[in-house]
Amino acid sequence: MAWLPRIPRGGCVALSTGLVQDRDPFDCRQTGSSDMTHKKQYERLIESLLLVAAPSAEQVSALPDFVCVTDEIVSTYGDVFLLVPQLERAGLVAVDAANALRELDEFFGRMPDDASLADPERLRTHAFWADARRLAAKAWTELGEEKRPPGQSR
């Protein structure tokens, strides 16, 4: 049997180092971090929404050539969506916006098992991606943010 580290309750293993940490690195309440950390997390959320809502050409150009663009869009949003409860507690995401974000996350959870969706050309033509853009735009509206191309700073 392989040795496994004992992870304290509420702790995690840092993927970059493999070291056990006694706290969740994304939970600002446990780290005692300032409001600035919440703002950075919020900006990551906004960037992921911009990527989902962008036209297909912008989505493709915003990501490195070596990634599967469609997987990157879904996983980037899914990773950042995990921060939404903390952003709600910090007062940066209102209930209506959180509901719209949750709707997009649930939509991605129901992604059809269709290998053709991974084709970047399908980003432009498939109804699934059009619906994802619509849901991202709805969340965007609830957050009250200004639309801009992905990767462009405020």
Side-chain angles (χ1 to χ4, degrees), residues 68-71 73-74 107-108 110-130:
C68 175
V69 174
T70 55
D71 286 350
I73 292 167
V74 173
F107 177 78
F108 280 144
R110 296 186 306 270
M111 187 174 189
D113 189 19
D114 180 357
S116 73
L117 283 176
D119 180 352
E121 176 60 24
R122 302 288 282 181
L123 279 170
R124 188 176 59 77
T125 61
H126 199 282
F128 177 84
W129 295 112

Side-chain angles (χ1 to χ4, degrees), residues 9-119:
R9 182 177 175 86
C12 64
V13 175
L15 296 178
S16 59
T17 64
L19 299 175
V20 175
Q21 298 178 348
D22 63 353
R23 59 173 173 71
D24 177 351
F26 294 114
D27 191 340
C28 295
R29 292 172 308 128
Q30 293 181 17
T31 63
S33 296
S34 69
D35 187 46
M36 187 58 157
T37 300
H38 286 121
K39 289 178 182 174
K40 287 179 182 177
Q41 291 173 338
Y42 181 80
E43 185 59 30
R44 285 182 59 200
L45 173 66
I46 295 306
E47 284 298 321
S48 71
L49 269 180
L50 285 169
L51 183 61
V52 176
S56 61
E58 288 179 23
Q59 289 172 321
V60 171
S61 67
L63 296 169
D65 293 337
F66 61 86
V67 302
C68 175
V69 174
T70 55
D71 286 350
E72 196 71 15
I73 292 167
V74 173
S75 65
T76 297
Y77 179 76
D79 290 347
V80 175
F81 176 75
L82 297 173
L83 300 172
V84 170
Q86 294 160 26
L87 295 173
E88 274 186 283
R89 287 191 298 269
L92 294 173
V93 173
V95 173
D96 290 342
N99 289 337
L101 294 164
R102 194 169 297 106
E103 186 178 0
L104 178 58
D105 184 64
E106 290 169 356
F107 177 78
F108 280 144
R110 296 186 306 270
M111 187 174 189
D113 189 19
D114 180 357
S116 73
L117 283 176
D119 180 352

